[in-house]
PDB file of all heavy atoms in Angstrom:
ATOM      1  N   VAL A1364      -9.128   8.547  -3.687  1.00  0.00           N
ATOM      2  CA  VAL A1364     -10.015   8.426  -2.530  1.00  0.00           C
ATOM      3  C   VAL A1364     -11.167   7.475  -2.807  1.00  0.00           C
ATOM      4  O   VAL A1364     -11.776   6.938  -1.866  1.00  0.00           O
ATOM      5  CB  VAL A1364     -10.545   9.808  -2.093  1.00  0.00           C
ATOM      6  CG1 VAL A1364      -9.413  10.685  -1.598  1.00  0.00           C
ATOM      7  CG2 VAL A1364     -11.307  10.495  -3.221  1.00  0.00           C
ATOM      8  N   GLY A1365     -11.500   7.240  -4.069  1.00  0.00           N
ATOM      9  CA  GLY A1365     -12.568   6.309  -4.404  1.00  0.00           C
ATOM     10  C   GLY A1365     -12.109   4.876  -4.468  1.00  0.00           C
ATOM     11  O   GLY A1365     -12.883   3.947  -4.231  1.00  0.00           O
ATOM     12  N   ASP A1366     -10.830   4.670  -4.798  1.00  0.00           N
ATOM     13  CA  ASP A1366     -10.272   3.319  -4.915  1.00  0.00           C
ATOM     14  C   ASP A1366      -8.863   3.303  -4.330  1.00  0.00           C
ATOM     15  O   ASP A1366      -7.883   3.524  -5.032  1.00  0.00           O
ATOM     16  CB  ASP A1366     -10.227   2.881  -6.380  1.00  0.00           C
ATOM     17  CG  ASP A1366      -9.623   1.493  -6.560  1.00  0.00           C
ATOM     18  OD1 ASP A1366      -9.438   0.791  -5.537  1.00  0.00           O
ATOM     19  OD2 ASP A1366      -9.334   1.118  -7.709  1.00  0.00           O
ATOM     20  N   PRO A1367      -8.740   3.042  -3.024  1.00  0.00           N
ATOM     21  CA  PRO A1367      -7.420   3.057  -2.377  1.00  0.00           C
ATOM     22  C   PRO A1367      -6.457   1.985  -2.891  1.00  0.00           C
ATOM     23  O   PRO A1367      -5.270   2.042  -2.595  1.00  0.00           O
ATOM     24  CB  PRO A1367      -7.755   2.808  -0.898  1.00  0.00           C
ATOM     25  CG  PRO A1367      -9.192   3.161  -0.749  1.00  0.00           C
ATOM     26  CD  PRO A1367      -9.820   2.819  -2.052  1.00  0.00           C
ATOM     27  N   THR A1368      -6.976   1.003  -3.664  1.00  0.00           N
ATOM     28  CA  THR A1368      -6.080  -0.013  -4.230  1.00  0.00           C
ATOM     29  C   THR A1368      -5.406   0.467  -5.513  1.00  0.00           C
ATOM     30  O   THR A1368      -4.563  -0.235  -6.058  1.00  0.00           O
ATOM     31  CB  THR A1368      -6.845  -1.315  -4.513  1.00  0.00           C
ATOM     32  OG1 THR A1368      -7.807  -1.095  -5.552  1.00  0.00           O
ATOM     33  CG2 THR A1368      -7.544  -1.815  -3.257  1.00  0.00           C
ATOM     34  N   HIS A1369      -5.777   1.657  -5.981  1.00  0.00           N
ATOM     35  CA  HIS A1369      -5.142   2.244  -7.166  1.00  0.00           C
ATOM     36  C   HIS A1369      -3.815   2.875  -6.754  1.00  0.00           C
ATOM     37  O   HIS A1369      -3.792   3.928  -6.114  1.00  0.00           O
ATOM     38  CB  HIS A1369      -6.074   3.291  -7.784  1.00  0.00           C
ATOM     39  CG  HIS A1369      -5.463   4.038  -8.928  1.00  0.00           C
ATOM     40  ND1 HIS A1369      -6.059   5.161  -9.466  1.00  0.00           N
ATOM     41  CD2 HIS A1369      -4.334   3.844  -9.648  1.00  0.00           C
ATOM     42  CE1 HIS A1369      -5.316   5.624 -10.447  1.00  0.00           C
ATOM     43  NE2 HIS A1369      -4.259   4.851 -10.577  1.00  0.00           N
ATOM     44  N   LEU A1370      -2.726   2.224  -7.135  1.00  0.00           N
ATOM     45  CA  LEU A1370      -1.386   2.707  -6.792  1.00  0.00           C
ATOM     46  C   LEU A1370      -0.729   3.221  -8.065  1.00  0.00           C
ATOM     47  O   LEU A1370      -0.331   2.442  -8.931  1.00  0.00           O
ATOM     48  CB  LEU A1370      -0.569   1.574  -6.150  1.00  0.00           C
ATOM     49  CG  LEU A1370      -1.196   0.926  -4.910  1.00  0.00           C
ATOM     50  CD1 LEU A1370      -0.307  -0.191  -4.379  1.00  0.00           C
ATOM     51  CD2 LEU A1370      -1.477   1.961  -3.825  1.00  0.00           C
ATOM     52  N   GLU A1371      -0.598   4.511  -8.174  1.00  0.00           N
ATOM     53  CA  GLU A1371      -0.143   5.139  -9.414  1.00  0.00           C
ATOM     54  C   GLU A1371       1.364   5.043  -9.588  1.00  0.00           C
ATOM     55  O   GLU A1371       1.846   4.737 -10.685  1.00  0.00           O
ATOM     56  CB  GLU A1371      -0.585   6.606  -9.432  1.00  0.00           C
ATOM     57  CG  GLU A1371      -0.225   7.352 -10.692  1.00  0.00           C
ATOM     58  CD  GLU A1371      -1.059   6.950 -11.897  1.00  0.00           C
ATOM     59  OE1 GLU A1371      -2.123   6.330 -11.717  1.00  0.00           O
ATOM     60  OE2 GLU A1371      -0.631   7.264 -13.026  1.00  0.00           O
ATOM     61  N   PHE A1372       2.127   5.329  -8.533  1.00  0.00           N
ATOM     62  CA  PHE A1372       3.583   5.300  -8.648  1.00  0.00           C
ATOM     63  C   PHE A1372       4.072   3.855  -8.657  1.00  0.00           C
ATOM     64  O   PHE A1372       3.633   3.035  -7.846  1.00  0.00           O
ATOM     65  CB  PHE A1372       4.236   6.041  -7.486  1.00  0.00           C
ATOM     66  CG  PHE A1372       3.990   7.525  -7.465  1.00  0.00           C
ATOM     67  CD1 PHE A1372       4.097   8.230  -6.277  1.00  0.00           C
ATOM     68  CD2 PHE A1372       3.660   8.217  -8.611  1.00  0.00           C
ATOM     69  CE1 PHE A1372       3.879   9.601  -6.241  1.00  0.00           C
ATOM     70  CE2 PHE A1372       3.445   9.583  -8.598  1.00  0.00           C
ATOM     71  CZ  PHE A1372       3.543  10.286  -7.399  1.00  0.00           C
ATOM     72  N   GLU A1373       5.027   3.563  -9.543  1.00  0.00           N
ATOM     73  CA  GLU A1373       5.509   2.183  -9.658  1.00  0.00           C
ATOM     74  C   GLU A1373       6.166   1.699  -8.372  1.00  0.00           C
ATOM     75  O   GLU A1373       5.971   0.551  -7.958  1.00  0.00           O
ATOM     76  CB  GLU A1373       6.482   2.059 -10.838  1.00  0.00           C
ATOM     77  CG  GLU A1373       6.977   0.638 -11.069  1.00  0.00           C
ATOM     78  CD  GLU A1373       5.858  -0.349 -11.374  1.00  0.00           C
ATOM     79  OE1 GLU A1373       4.794   0.063 -11.871  1.00  0.00           O
ATOM     80  OE2 GLU A1373       6.053  -1.549 -11.099  1.00  0.00           O
ATOM     81  N   TYR A1374       6.925   2.555  -7.697  1.00  0.00           N
ATOM     82  CA  TYR A1374       7.582   2.089  -6.474  1.00  0.00           C
ATOM     83  C   TYR A1374       6.554   1.780  -5.386  1.00  0.00           C
ATOM     84  O   TYR A1374       6.764   0.872  -4.564  1.00  0.00           O
ATOM     85  CB  TYR A1374       8.617   3.110  -5.975  1.00  0.00           C
ATOM     86  CG  TYR A1374       8.076   4.205  -5.092  1.00  0.00           C
ATOM     87  CD1 TYR A1374       7.957   4.025  -3.714  1.00  0.00           C
ATOM     88  CD2 TYR A1374       7.682   5.428  -5.621  1.00  0.00           C
ATOM     89  CE1 TYR A1374       7.454   5.036  -2.895  1.00  0.00           C
ATOM     90  CE2 TYR A1374       7.189   6.434  -4.813  1.00  0.00           C
ATOM     91  CZ  TYR A1374       7.078   6.236  -3.456  1.00  0.00           C
ATOM     92  OH  TYR A1374       6.580   7.221  -2.646  1.00  0.00           O
ATOM     93  N   VAL A1375       5.441   2.511  -5.392  1.00  0.00           N
ATOM     94  CA  VAL A1375       4.378   2.229  -4.420  1.00  0.00           C
ATOM     95  C   VAL A1375       3.747   0.879  -4.735  1.00  0.00           C
ATOM     96  O   VAL A1375       3.406   0.102  -3.832  1.00  0.00           O
ATOM     97  CB  VAL A1375       3.335   3.352  -4.403  1.00  0.00           C
ATOM     98  CG1 VAL A1375       2.229   3.052  -3.403  1.00  0.00           C
ATOM     99  CG2 VAL A1375       3.992   4.687  -4.066  1.00  0.00           C
ATOM    100  N   ARG A1376       3.604   0.574  -6.019  1.00  0.00           N
ATOM    101  CA  ARG A1376       3.107  -0.749  -6.403  1.00  0.00           C
ATOM    102  C   ARG A1376       4.052  -1.842  -5.917  1.00  0.00           C
ATOM    103  O   ARG A1376       3.607  -2.905  -5.475  1.00  0.00           O
ATOM    104  CB  ARG A1376       2.957  -0.842  -7.917  1.00  0.00           C
ATOM    105  CG  ARG A1376       1.912   0.068  -8.512  1.00  0.00           C
ATOM    106  CD  ARG A1376       1.769  -0.234  -9.988  1.00  0.00           C
ATOM    107  NE  ARG A1376       1.120   0.849 -10.699  1.00  0.00           N
ATOM    108  CZ  ARG A1376       0.941   0.870 -12.024  1.00  0.00           C
ATOM    109  NH1 ARG A1376       1.370  -0.141 -12.750  1.00  0.00           N
ATOM    110  NH2 ARG A1376       0.340   1.887 -12.606  1.00  0.00           N
ATOM    111  N   MET A1377       5.342  -1.613  -6.023  1.00  0.00           N
ATOM    112  CA  MET A1377       6.313  -2.607  -5.552  1.00  0.00           C
ATOM    113  C   MET A1377       6.143  -2.867  -4.057  1.00  0.00           C
ATOM    114  O   MET A1377       6.159  -4.019  -3.603  1.00  0.00           O
ATOM    115  CB  MET A1377       7.739  -2.135  -5.841  1.00  0.00           C
ATOM    116  CG  MET A1377       8.111  -2.032  -7.298  1.00  0.00           C
ATOM    117  SD  MET A1377       9.824  -1.429  -7.456  1.00  0.00           S
ATOM    118  CE  MET A1377       9.776  -0.708  -9.091  1.00  0.00           C
ATOM    119  N   ILE A1378       5.991  -1.789  -3.287  1.00  0.00           N
ATOM    120  CA  ILE A1378       5.776  -1.957  -1.853  1.00  0.00           C
ATOM    121  C   ILE A1378       4.458  -2.686  -1.621  1.00  0.00           C
ATOM    122  O   ILE A1378       4.367  -3.588  -0.769  1.00  0.00           O
ATOM    123  CB  ILE A1378       5.783  -0.599  -1.135  1.00  0.00           C
ATOM    124  CG1 ILE A1378       7.156   0.069  -1.279  1.00  0.00           C
ATOM    125  CG2 ILE A1378       5.450  -0.775   0.352  1.00  0.00           C
ATOM    126  CD1 ILE A1378       7.229   1.476  -0.704  1.00  0.00           C
ATOM    127  N   GLY A1379       3.429  -2.330  -2.398  1.00  0.00           N
ATOM    128  CA  GLY A1379       2.158  -3.027  -2.287  1.00  0.00           C
ATOM    129  C   GLY A1379       2.285  -4.509  -2.591  1.00  0.00           C
ATOM    130  O   GLY A1379       1.634  -5.351  -1.949  1.00  0.00           O
ATOM    131  N   ASP A1380       3.132  -4.860  -3.542  1.00  0.00           N
ATOM    132  CA  ASP A1380       3.366  -6.273  -3.855  1.00  0.00           C
ATOM    133  C   ASP A1380       3.958  -7.015  -2.665  1.00  0.00           C
ATOM    134  O   ASP A1380       3.582  -8.158  -2.377  1.00  0.00           O
ATOM    135  CB  ASP A1380       4.307  -6.398  -5.060  1.00  0.00           C
ATOM    136  CG  ASP A1380       3.660  -5.977  -6.365  1.00  0.00           C
ATOM    137  OD1 ASP A1380       2.412  -5.955  -6.431  1.00  0.00           O
ATOM    138  OD2 ASP A1380       4.396  -5.665  -7.316  1.00  0.00           O
ATOM    139  N   VAL A1381       4.908  -6.372  -1.987  1.00  0.00           N
ATOM    140  CA  VAL A1381       5.488  -6.995  -0.797  1.00  0.00           C
ATOM    141  C   VAL A1381       4.418  -7.201   0.262  1.00  0.00           C
ATOM    142  O   VAL A1381       4.327  -8.279   0.878  1.00  0.00           O
ATOM    143  CB  VAL A1381       6.658  -6.157  -0.246  1.00  0.00           C
ATOM    144  CG1 VAL A1381       7.179  -6.768   1.054  1.00  0.00           C
ATOM    145  CG2 VAL A1381       7.783  -6.052  -1.265  1.00  0.00           C
ATOM    146  N   VAL A1382       3.604  -6.187   0.481  1.00  0.00           N
ATOM    147  CA  VAL A1382       2.519  -6.311   1.456  1.00  0.00           C
ATOM    148  C   VAL A1382       1.605  -7.480   1.091  1.00  0.00           C
ATOM    149  O   VAL A1382       1.199  -8.278   1.944  1.00  0.00           O
ATOM    150  CB  VAL A1382       1.709  -5.000   1.532  1.00  0.00           C
ATOM    151  CG1 VAL A1382       0.468  -5.185   2.410  1.00  0.00           C
ATOM    152  CG2 VAL A1382       2.573  -3.867   2.072  1.00  0.00           C
ATOM    153  N   ASP A1383       1.327  -7.626  -0.201  1.00  0.00           N
ATOM    154  CA  ASP A1383       0.389  -8.653  -0.647  1.00  0.00           C
ATOM    155  C   ASP A1383       0.894 -10.075  -0.438  1.00  0.00           C
ATOM    156  O   ASP A1383       0.091 -11.008  -0.339  1.00  0.00           O
ATOM    157  CB  ASP A1383       0.053  -8.445  -2.123  1.00  0.00           C
ATOM    158  CG  ASP A1383      -0.797  -7.208  -2.365  1.00  0.00           C
ATOM    159  OD1 ASP A1383      -1.388  -6.692  -1.399  1.00  0.00           O
ATOM    160  OD2 ASP A1383      -0.851  -6.751  -3.527  1.00  0.00           O
ATOM    161  N   VAL A1384       2.216 -10.281  -0.419  1.00  0.00           N
ATOM    162  CA  VAL A1384       2.729 -11.644  -0.251  1.00  0.00           C
ATOM    163  C   VAL A1384       3.008 -11.987   1.215  1.00  0.00           C
ATOM    164  O   VAL A1384       3.448 -13.104   1.509  1.00  0.00           O
ATOM    165  CB  VAL A1384       4.001 -11.883  -1.094  1.00  0.00           C
ATOM    166  CG1 VAL A1384       3.727 -11.612  -2.563  1.00  0.00           C
ATOM    167  CG2 VAL A1384       5.179 -11.046  -0.605  1.00  0.00           C
ATOM    168  N   LEU A1385       2.761 -11.061   2.120  1.00  0.00           N
ATOM    169  CA  LEU A1385       2.863 -11.380   3.538  1.00  0.00           C
ATOM    170  C   LEU A1385       1.705 -12.299   3.924  1.00  0.00           C
ATOM    171  O   LEU A1385       0.699 -12.378   3.218  1.00  0.00           O
ATOM    172  CB  LEU A1385       2.838 -10.103   4.370  1.00  0.00           C
ATOM    173  CG  LEU A1385       3.999  -9.121   4.154  1.00  0.00           C
ATOM    174  CD1 LEU A1385       3.818  -7.879   5.030  1.00  0.00           C
ATOM    175  CD2 LEU A1385       5.342  -9.783   4.428  1.00  0.00           C
ATOM    176  N   PRO A1386       1.823 -13.029   5.031  1.00  0.00           N
ATOM    177  CA  PRO A1386       0.738 -13.933   5.443  1.00  0.00           C
ATOM    178  C   PRO A1386      -0.600 -13.209   5.483  1.00  0.00           C
ATOM    179  O   PRO A1386      -0.677 -12.029   5.820  1.00  0.00           O
ATOM    180  CB  PRO A1386       1.180 -14.388   6.840  1.00  0.00           C
ATOM    181  CG  PRO A1386       2.673 -14.310   6.797  1.00  0.00           C
ATOM    182  CD  PRO A1386       2.982 -13.116   5.950  1.00  0.00           C
ATOM    183  N   PRO A1387      -1.690 -13.903   5.124  1.00  0.00           N
ATOM    184  CA  PRO A1387      -2.999 -13.253   5.051  1.00  0.00           C
ATOM    185  C   PRO A1387      -3.505 -12.777   6.403  1.00  0.00           C
ATOM    186  O   PRO A1387      -3.054 -13.253   7.446  1.00  0.00           O
ATOM    187  CB  PRO A1387      -3.908 -14.362   4.481  1.00  0.00           C
ATOM    188  CG  PRO A1387      -3.211 -15.639   4.814  1.00  0.00           C
ATOM    189  CD  PRO A1387      -1.751 -15.337   4.768  1.00  0.00           C
ATOM    190  N   GLY A1388      -4.444 -11.834   6.338  1.00  0.00           N
ATOM    191  CA  GLY A1388      -5.063 -11.331   7.553  1.00  0.00           C
ATOM    192  C   GLY A1388      -4.646  -9.921   7.879  1.00  0.00           C
ATOM    193  O   GLY A1388      -3.792  -9.323   7.210  1.00  0.00           O
ATOM    194  N   PRO A1389      -5.253  -9.344   8.923  1.00  0.00           N
ATOM    195  CA  PRO A1389      -4.915  -7.976   9.336  1.00  0.00           C
ATOM    196  C   PRO A1389      -3.454  -7.863   9.750  1.00  0.00           C
ATOM    197  O   PRO A1389      -2.841  -8.834  10.206  1.00  0.00           O
ATOM    198  CB  PRO A1389      -5.849  -7.729  10.526  1.00  0.00           C
ATOM    199  CG  PRO A1389      -6.938  -8.730  10.391  1.00  0.00           C
ATOM    200  CD  PRO A1389      -6.318  -9.931   9.751  1.00  0.00           C
ATOM    201  N   LEU A1390      -2.921  -6.659   9.614  1.00  0.00           N
ATOM    202  CA  LEU A1390      -1.531  -6.394   9.970  1.00  0.00           C
ATOM    203  C   LEU A1390      -1.461  -5.288  11.020  1.00  0.00           C
ATOM    204  O   LEU A1390      -2.279  -4.371  11.017  1.00  0.00           O
ATOM    205  CB  LEU A1390      -0.728  -5.952   8.744  1.00  0.00           C
ATOM    206  CG  LEU A1390      -0.534  -6.974   7.625  1.00  0.00           C
ATOM    207  CD1 LEU A1390       0.035  -6.282   6.391  1.00  0.00           C
ATOM    208  CD2 LEU A1390       0.383  -8.100   8.079  1.00  0.00           C
ATOM    209  N   ALA A1391      -0.466  -5.374  11.875  1.00  0.00           N
ATOM    210  CA  ALA A1391      -0.089  -4.242  12.719  1.00  0.00           C
ATOM    211  C   ALA A1391       1.053  -3.549  11.990  1.00  0.00           C
ATOM    212  O   ALA A1391       2.155  -4.094  11.897  1.00  0.00           O
ATOM    213  CB  ALA A1391       0.350  -4.723  14.098  1.00  0.00           C
ATOM    214  N   ALA A1392       0.774  -2.377  11.427  1.00  0.00           N
ATOM    215  CA  ALA A1392       1.727  -1.715  10.541  1.00  0.00           C
ATOM    216  C   ALA A1392       2.099  -0.336  11.064  1.00  0.00           C
ATOM    217  O   ALA A1392       1.260   0.390  11.599  1.00  0.00           O
ATOM    218  CB  ALA A1392       1.144  -1.589   9.137  1.00  0.00           C
ATOM    219  N   VAL A1393       3.381   0.007  10.877  1.00  0.00           N
ATOM    220  CA  VAL A1393       3.891   1.337  11.192  1.00  0.00           C
ATOM    221  C   VAL A1393       4.451   1.928   9.909  1.00  0.00           C
ATOM    222  O   VAL A1393       5.273   1.291   9.233  1.00  0.00           O
ATOM    223  CB  VAL A1393       4.979   1.288  12.277  1.00  0.00           C
ATOM    224  CG1 VAL A1393       5.542   2.684  12.528  1.00  0.00           C
ATOM    225  CG2 VAL A1393       4.429   0.700  13.566  1.00  0.00           C
ATOM    226  N   HIS A1394       4.011   3.118   9.567  1.00  0.00           N
ATOM    227  CA  HIS A1394       4.464   3.793   8.356  1.00  0.00           C
ATOM    228  C   HIS A1394       5.334   4.981   8.750  1.00  0.00           C
ATOM    229  O   HIS A1394       4.866   5.889   9.447  1.00  0.00           O
ATOM    230  CB  HIS A1394       3.273   4.279   7.536  1.00  0.00           C
ATOM    231  CG  HIS A1394       2.343   3.188   7.106  1.00  0.00           C
ATOM    232  ND1 HIS A1394       2.378   2.624   5.849  1.00  0.00           N
ATOM    233  CD2 HIS A1394       1.358   2.551   7.795  1.00  0.00           C
ATOM    234  CE1 HIS A1394       1.436   1.693   5.773  1.00  0.00           C
ATOM    235  NE2 HIS A1394       0.801   1.629   6.934  1.00  0.00           N
ATOM    236  N   LEU A1395       6.567   4.971   8.310  1.00  0.00           N
ATOM    237  CA  LEU A1395       7.480   6.072   8.561  1.00  0.00           C
ATOM    238  C   LEU A1395       7.403   7.010   7.365  1.00  0.00           C
ATOM    239  O   LEU A1395       7.829   6.675   6.261  1.00  0.00           O
ATOM    240  CB  LEU A1395       8.910   5.548   8.743  1.00  0.00           C
ATOM    241  CG  LEU A1395       9.083   4.430   9.776  1.00  0.00           C
ATOM    242  CD1 LEU A1395      10.549   3.984   9.836  1.00  0.00           C
ATOM    243  CD2 LEU A1395       8.596   4.861  11.148  1.00  0.00           C
ATOM    244  N   GLY A1396       6.851   8.188   7.584  1.00  0.00           N
ATOM    245  CA  GLY A1396       6.574   9.113   6.492  1.00  0.00           C
ATOM    246  C   GLY A1396       5.130   8.960   6.057  1.00  0.00           C
ATOM    247  O   GLY A1396       4.650   7.843   5.824  1.00  0.00           O
ATOM    248  N   GLY A1397       4.431  10.086   5.968  1.00  0.00           N
ATOM    249  CA  GLY A1397       3.016  10.018   5.654  1.00  0.00           C
ATOM    250  C   GLY A1397       2.676  10.478   4.255  1.00  0.00           C
ATOM    251  O   GLY A1397       2.122   9.738   3.463  1.00  0.00           O
ATOM    252  N   GLY A1398       3.037  11.721   3.921  1.00  0.00           N
ATOM    253  CA  GLY A1398       2.563  12.291   2.667  1.00  0.00           C
ATOM    254  C   GLY A1398       1.047  12.233   2.654  1.00  0.00           C
ATOM    255  O   GLY A1398       0.385  12.536   3.642  1.00  0.00           O
ATOM    256  N   GLY A1399       0.483  11.785   1.539  1.00  0.00           N
ATOM    257  CA  GLY A1399      -0.959  11.630   1.446  1.00  0.00           C
ATOM    258  C   GLY A1399      -1.463  10.324   2.014  1.00  0.00           C
ATOM    259  O   GLY A1399      -2.657  10.044   1.955  1.00  0.00           O
ATOM    260  N   CYS A1400      -0.564   9.498   2.555  1.00  0.00           N
ATOM    261  CA  CYS A1400      -0.920   8.225   3.207  1.00  0.00           C
ATOM    262  C   CYS A1400      -1.537   7.234   2.228  1.00  0.00           C
ATOM    263  O   CYS A1400      -2.524   6.548   2.544  1.00  0.00           O
ATOM    264  CB  CYS A1400      -1.834   8.461   4.395  1.00  0.00           C
ATOM    265  SG  CYS A1400      -1.096   9.488   5.688  1.00  0.00           S
ATOM    266  N   THR A1401      -0.938   7.113   1.048  1.00  0.00           N
ATOM    267  CA  THR A1401      -1.426   6.171   0.046  1.00  0.00           C
ATOM    268  C   THR A1401      -1.359   4.732   0.523  1.00  0.00           C
ATOM    269  O   THR A1401      -2.324   3.962   0.392  1.00  0.00           O
ATOM    270  CB  THR A1401      -0.611   6.328  -1.252  1.00  0.00           C
ATOM    271  OG1 THR A1401      -0.697   7.675  -1.711  1.00  0.00           O
ATOM    272  CG2 THR A1401      -1.119   5.389  -2.328  1.00  0.00           C
ATOM    273  N   LEU A1402      -0.212   4.332   1.079  1.00  0.00           N
ATOM    274  CA  LEU A1402      -0.042   2.933   1.486  1.00  0.00           C
ATOM    275  C   LEU A1402      -0.876   2.562   2.709  1.00  0.00           C
ATOM    276  O   LEU A1402      -1.427   1.453   2.758  1.00  0.00           O
ATOM    277  CB  LEU A1402       1.436   2.623   1.688  1.00  0.00           C
ATOM    278  CG  LEU A1402       2.184   2.436   0.373  1.00  0.00           C
ATOM    279  CD1 LEU A1402       3.691   2.545   0.573  1.00  0.00           C
ATOM    280  CD2 LEU A1402       1.831   1.094  -0.268  1.00  0.00           C
ATOM    281  N   PRO A1403      -1.010   3.435   3.718  1.00  0.00           N
ATOM    282  CA  PRO A1403      -1.951   3.094   4.794  1.00  0.00           C
ATOM    283  C   PRO A1403      -3.374   2.875   4.284  1.00  0.00           C
ATOM    284  O   PRO A1403      -4.090   1.990   4.767  1.00  0.00           O
ATOM    285  CB  PRO A1403      -1.870   4.318   5.716  1.00  0.00           C
ATOM    286  CG  PRO A1403      -0.500   4.869   5.490  1.00  0.00           C
ATOM    287  CD  PRO A1403      -0.229   4.636   4.037  1.00  0.00           C
ATOM    288  N   ARG A1404      -3.795   3.658   3.301  1.00  0.00           N
ATOM    289  CA  ARG A1404      -5.125   3.463   2.721  1.00  0.00           C
ATOM    290  C   ARG A1404      -5.199   2.116   1.996  1.00  0.00           C
ATOM    291  O   ARG A1404      -6.230   1.422   2.042  1.00  0.00           O
ATOM    292  CB  ARG A1404      -5.453   4.607   1.749  1.00  0.00           C
ATOM    293  CG  ARG A1404      -5.455   5.980   2.394  1.00  0.00           C
ATOM    294  CD  ARG A1404      -5.650   7.088   1.354  1.00  0.00           C
ATOM    295  NE  ARG A1404      -5.156   8.346   1.877  1.00  0.00           N
ATOM    296  CZ  ARG A1404      -5.840   9.133   2.709  1.00  0.00           C
ATOM    297  NH1 ARG A1404      -7.048   8.788   3.090  1.00  0.00           N
ATOM    298  NH2 ARG A1404      -5.311  10.265   3.148  1.00  0.00           N
ATOM    299  N   TYR A1405      -4.120   1.760   1.318  1.00  0.00           N
ATOM    300  CA  TYR A1405      -4.074   0.476   0.606  1.00  0.00           C
ATOM    301  C   TYR A1405      -4.169  -0.690   1.584  1.00  0.00           C
ATOM    302  O   TYR A1405      -4.936  -1.642   1.370  1.00  0.00           O
ATOM    303  CB  TYR A1405      -2.771   0.389  -0.197  1.00  0.00           C
ATOM    304  CG  TYR A1405      -2.619  -0.904  -0.966  1.00  0.00           C
ATOM    305  CD1 TYR A1405      -3.272  -1.086  -2.182  1.00  0.00           C
ATOM    306  CD2 TYR A1405      -1.820  -1.941  -0.488  1.00  0.00           C
ATOM    307  CE1 TYR A1405      -3.139  -2.270  -2.900  1.00  0.00           C
ATOM    308  CE2 TYR A1405      -1.679  -3.126  -1.191  1.00  0.00           C
ATOM    309  CZ  TYR A1405      -2.344  -3.280  -2.398  1.00  0.00           C
ATOM    310  OH  TYR A1405      -2.210  -4.459  -3.096  1.00  0.00           O
ATOM    311  N   VAL A1406      -3.393  -0.637   2.658  1.00  0.00           N
ATOM    312  CA  VAL A1406      -3.431  -1.710   3.657  1.00  0.00           C
ATOM    313  C   VAL A1406      -4.813  -1.791   4.294  1.00  0.00           C
ATOM    314  O   VAL A1406      -5.358  -2.882   4.500  1.00  0.00           O
ATOM    315  CB  VAL A1406      -2.338  -1.496   4.724  1.00  0.00           C
ATOM    316  CG1 VAL A1406      -2.491  -2.506   5.866  1.00  0.00           C
ATOM    317  CG2 VAL A1406      -0.948  -1.616   4.099  1.00  0.00           C
ATOM    318  N   ALA A1407      -5.408  -0.644   4.602  1.00  0.00           N
ATOM    319  CA  ALA A1407      -6.744  -0.644   5.201  1.00  0.00           C
ATOM    320  C   ALA A1407      -7.768  -1.294   4.277  1.00  0.00           C
ATOM    321  O   ALA A1407      -8.689  -1.982   4.732  1.00  0.00           O
ATOM    322  CB  ALA A1407      -7.167   0.786   5.545  1.00  0.00           C
ATOM    323  N   ALA A1408      -7.608  -1.086   2.952  1.00  0.00           N
ATOM    324  CA  ALA A1408      -8.556  -1.638   1.984  1.00  0.00           C
ATOM    325  C   ALA A1408      -8.328  -3.119   1.726  1.00  0.00           C
ATOM    326  O   ALA A1408      -9.293  -3.875   1.533  1.00  0.00           O
ATOM    327  CB  ALA A1408      -8.461  -0.859   0.671  1.00  0.00           C
TER     328      ALA A1408
END
């Protein structure tokens, strides 16, 4: 909660890598499956 860019699970890091190479700027994103919402927090940050 203090650092949403901290991605602990390796597969989450892989998804984060894909997000990072998309064109720069804000995204309109849909997340299927929530859990603790790690990736939505990452995208928001």
Side-chain angles (χ1 to χ4, degrees):
V1364 295
D1366 179 11
T1368 66
H1369 175 191
L1370 304 179
E1371 182 72 17
F1372 293 157
E1373 183 60 25
Y1374 86 87
V1375 180
R1376 295 186 198 176
M1377 294 179 204
I1378 297 175
D1380 289 340
V1381 176
V1382 173
D1383 290 343
V1384 303
L1385 297 179
L1390 294 169
V1393 177
H1394 301 261
L1395 308 179
C1400 299
T1401 303
L1402 283 163
R1404 300 174 201 279
Y1405 180 80
V1406 173

